[in-house]
Amino acid sequence: MSSTLAIQAPRSGISRLIPRTAEQWLVFSCLVFPTLALLIFFVFPLTTIFWQSFTLLDGSFGLDNYAAIPDTPGLIQAGINSLAISISTTVVCIVLGFAIAYALERTRIPGKSAVRVGLLLPLLAPSLVQGLGLLFILGRNGLIYRWTGIEQDIYGFWGLLLSDIFYALPQAVMIIQATLRNADMRYYDAATVMGANPAQQFFHITLPNCKFGVLSAAFVVFTITITDFGNAAVIAGNYRVLATEIFNQVSGQQNFGMGSVVGIILLTPALISVYIERVARQKQFGVASENQIPLQPGRARLRDTVFGAVTYLTVFCIVAIIAVVIFASFVKLWPYNMTLTLANFNVNISSGYAPIWTTLYVSILAAVFGVFLLFCLAYGSRYIQGPVAKAIYLLAVLPVGVPGLVLGISYIFAFNDPSTPLYWLYGTAILIALCNFYHYHTQGFLTMATGMRSVPQALEEAVSCLGGGSRRVLTDAILPFIAPTVLAVFFFLFMRSMVTLSAVIFLVTPQLNIAAVSVMHLNEAGFVSQAAAFSTIIILVVSVAMLLMRALVHHFRPNLAQGVM
């Protein structure tokens, strides 16, 4: 592998990037093609949305769209509403998420595995399913009204707040839980010897050690909430937010210039929050010790009872929301005729099952394209360093700060123009798959790069010393070692493509629709049972994919361990 590593040799200027051997050509190709794809399908579309924001209705250019912001009361109010709902959701998710994460890591409550499964449920469905489930429970014709006669007005701020909390909470719990898991038992032992009681240990050790993890979780929740479209489209009612304002400007009023301005407004806080989140995460990882002793919680009846009650109640609400959507899919006519039936799955509207098959096809395409490009980029990045490596890394992680709505609308400007060479992609499943992939590019790249860095250098050198070139190193050392990571990235991209809505809402056509958008349209048309049936199918497919991923990953890891031994 020495000839491949020669690409790191210190040479001046552009000559450092010029390949001279077959191994270097492999690394060079693995860097160029994914980077070129990033420029075409991410950077180029984003430049068009900036350009479009200066384009006026008459086709001229100027700052009138930006100048019109103060004179657009609806837009200003949507921005205020977005900040209000995002900040409120963040506060609740951090407090509640910390309590649940603490219960999972620092208490001895029973049923932790069931709690973790319950927390995963919101990730298995489109975001709008939370709003749909709340309508089934708390809406004007919901279960609570039919059981008690008490009418609830769930539309607006409070309904959107609840749906966003249950949608974003699992991610907050996972981040804080990982932070709490990094605790070192020795600090607590020392504090106990010094006479510190549990309350003092909590405030002087636990909270300071996980502050960056909590901050990271806060900005993740804020970003998810301020950019979410699904819940707002279902349950916000007249409570306008920036995400729905973009949709109204583009789809309702055909005002692409103002829609672009709103997209840039939405992009700004998302990028800032992502930057702060990444800094917080790096600082949190920096305080972890490689030789730490895991903390083993002891029994404390009062503590376990309080945290267990909060955890079980929250998970019960999450499960109830998803369960009522599944139940409604088997009801003949919600909520007037509760007779159980399978008729809702015999969909004869909204193109029948075509959106489901299209979504499967798009998700597979996104996963296949994604795994190939991400593997190449991570492999090539392994053998370069310096400014070029930093530039490629920055480009690879930048998509995480771009909301799905903004990326989707940028694809309209970039590819719905007959004068562009890639116009033939518009209206195809390939373009939707690419949009889905680049929407989640950062998470996939970081996972793949982490797996690539875990490959032992000695393993590569052993293959190289036995006469194997770069191809044998790749096939005999690297690929077998990171097979679980490749599988995890594949299924991650597949599952996220199955449930995403905001990134593709502008790219669907009457001839090419996807399941999540069909759920929204069915609900808007009043076919709530059919919308629930589509949601149930999506949940089932994603659940099967997750179980298959776990089985395959567990299958490859023991084989890998045996091979290394």
Side-chain angles (χ1 to χ4, degrees):
M1 200 64 182
S2 57
S3 56
T4 301
L5 294 174
I7 199 168
Q8 297 180 357
R11 297 198 295 269
S12 60
I14 193 67
S15 62
R16 178 170 44 187
L17 300 177
I18 299 177
R20 298 182 178 182
T21 66
E23 288 81 2
Q24 291 177 1
W25 270 110
L26 176 62
V27 175
F28 183 78
S29 300
C30 286
L31 286 172
V32 167
F33 289 112
T35 304
L36 185 61
L38 268 168
L39 294 174
I40 295 174
F41 296 106
F42 175 71
V43 176
F44 170 61
L46 284 187
T47 58
T48 62
I49 198 172
F50 279 97
W51 179 261
Q52 192 69 33
S53 69
F54 296 99
T55 304
L56 309 182
L57 290 175
D58 59 2
S60 60
F61 295 93
L63 298 173
D64 292 6
N65 290 327
Y66 290 93
I69 293 177
D71 300 324
T72 311
L75 179 57
I76 296 176
Q77 188 60 50
I80 296 174
N81 291 346
S82 291
L83 288 175
I85 199 71
S86 300
I87 293 173
S88 301
T89 303
T90 301
V91 171
V92 176
C93 281
I94 292 306
V95 174
L96 190 57
F98 187 92
I100 297 174
Y102 192 88
L104 292 173
E105 292 296 325
R106 300 295 178 84
T107 72
R108 301 186 67 174
I109 63 171
K112 290 184 179 181
S113 298
V115 169
R116 294 187 180 96
V117 172
L119 288 171
L120 283 176
L121 291 179
L123 304 179
L124 305 181
S127 62
L128 55 84
V129 169
Q130 273 64 233
L132 194 62
L134 285 172
L135 289 179
F136 287 151
I137 297 174
L138 298 173
R140 296 186 183 98
N141 290 314
L143 294 177
I144 300 298
Y145 173 74
R146 296 184 67 82
W147 290 342
T148 66
I150 301 175
E151 186 173 350
Q152 305 286 332
D153 186 11
I154 195 65
Y155 289 98
F157 174 84
W158 293 108
L160 183 57
L161 176 63
L162 286 174
S163 57
D164 281 342
I165 288 172
F166 291 124
Y167 180 61
L169 181 62
Q171 302 195 48
V173 172
M174 287 188 289
I175 295 172
I176 299 175
Q177 190 179 354
T179 302
L180 291 171
R181 195 178 296 129
N182 288 330
D184 195 330
M185 184 69 180
R186 291 172 295 185
Y187 290 108
Y188 293 89
D189 290 340
T192 301
V193 171
M194 296 175 65
N197 58 42
Q200 291 173 324
Q201 294 179 21
F202 177 82
F203 287 104
H204 294 287
I205 300 177
T206 302
L207 284 182
N209 284 345
C210 66
K211 60 183 177 182
F212 292 116
V214 171
L215 183 64
S216 175
F219 281 100
V220 166
V221 171
F222 180 85
T223 304
I224 291 172
T225 305
I226 201 170
T227 60
D228 178 64
F229 173 74
N231 283 320
V234 170
I235 205 170
N238 294 325
Y239 190 82
R240 301 167 63 179
V241 293
L242 287 175
T244 53
E245 190 65 21
I246 294 178
F247 186 78
N248 292 335
Q249 291 288 342
V250 175
S251 297
Q253 304 178 33
Q254 298 293 306
N255 190 345
F256 294 100
M258 186 56 71
S260 301
V261 171
V262 179
I264 293 174
I265 294 174
L266 187 62
L267 179 64
T268 303
L271 284 174
I272 294 174
S273 63
V274 166
Y275 171 76
I276 297 176
E277 184 272 331
R278 290 192 60 79
V279 172
R281 181 176 296 185
Q282 291 172 356
K283 289 183 177 294
Q284 181 62 42
F285 288 159
V287 301
S289 173
E290 294 182 358
N291 300 318
Q292 68 185 27
I293 301 176
L295 181 64
Q296 299 295 332
R299 290 192 179 277
R301 180 174 298 179
L302 178 61
R303 178 202 65 191
D304 293 356
T305 300
V306 172
F307 282 96
V310 172
T311 300
Y312 297 145
L313 179 60
T314 304
V315 172
F316 172 79
C317 293
I318 292 175
V319 173
I321 290 173
I322 302 298
V324 76
V325 173
I326 297 175
F327 173 73
S329 66
F330 295 97
V331 169
K332 190 170 185 179
L333 182 61
W334 182 279
Y336 306 104
N337 188 344
M338 306 292 278
T339 305
L340 297 181
T341 179
L342 294 175
N344 296 319
F345 292 90
N346 185 20
V347 181
N348 54 13
I349 55 177
S350 188
S351 303
Y353 278 107
I356 295 290
W357 295 115
T358 301
T359 305
L360 284 169
Y361 177 57
V362 165
S363 300
I364 293 173
L365 282 179
V368 172
F369 290 160
V371 163
F372 175 75
L373 292 173
L374 290 172
F375 180 86
C376 290
L377 188 60
Y379 174 78
S381 300
R382 181 179 170 87
Y383 300 108
I384 63 169
Q385 58 187 9
V388 174
K390 293 180 180 179
I392 292 177
Y393 179 84
L394 177 62
L395 183 61
V397 300
L398 193 59
V400 73
V402 179
L405 279 172
V406 177
L407 186 62
I409 193 175
S410 71
Y411 268 48
I412 297 178
F413 302 142
F415 302 108
N416 191 20
D417 184 354
S419 63
T420 62
L422 296 176
Y423 172 70
W424 62 272
L425 280 173
Y426 192 79
T428 66
I430 295 176
L431 189 65
I432 296 179
L434 288 169
C435 184
N436 279 336
F437 164 53
Y438 285 103
H439 186 202
Y440 298 105
H441 183 278
T442 301
Q443 297 92 322
F445 171 74
L446 292 176
T447 303
M448 192 73 77
T450 301
M452 195 70 69
R453 286 195 298 268
S454 68
V455 179
Q457 189 69 36
L459 187 62
E460 297 183 59
E461 293 174 354
V463 176
S464 181
C465 290
L466 291 173
S470 59
R471 184 182 65 83
R472 295 303 300 269
V473 170
L474 181 62
T475 58
D476 295 349
I478 296 178
L479 270 175
F481 197 90
I482 70 166
T485 302
V486 172
L487 285 170
V489 172
F490 176 90
F491 281 102
F492 167 77
L493 293 174
F494 174 83
M495 290 186 290
R496 299 317 299 167
S497 296
M498 282 293 302
V499 302
T500 191
L501 173 65
S502 60
V504 298
I505 186 67
F506 294 117
L507 301 179
V508 297
T509 66
Q511 296 76 31
L512 185 70
N513 203 357
I514 63 171
V517 177
S518 294
V519 173
M520 185 183 74
H521 289 163
L522 287 168
N523 178 67
E524 290 175 344
F527 300 105
V528 292
S529 296
Q530 288 84 352
F534 260 61
S535 301
T536 300
I537 294 172
I538 296 173
I539 294 172
L540 178 62
V541 172
V542 178
S543 300
V544 170
M546 176 171 287
L547 293 174
L548 183 60
M549 177 192 71
R550 290 179 179 271
L552 289 174
V553 169
H554 287 312
H555 170 74
F556 274 93
R557 279 177 178 165
N559 291 345
L560 176 63
Q562 293 175 7
V564 173
M565 294 173 63

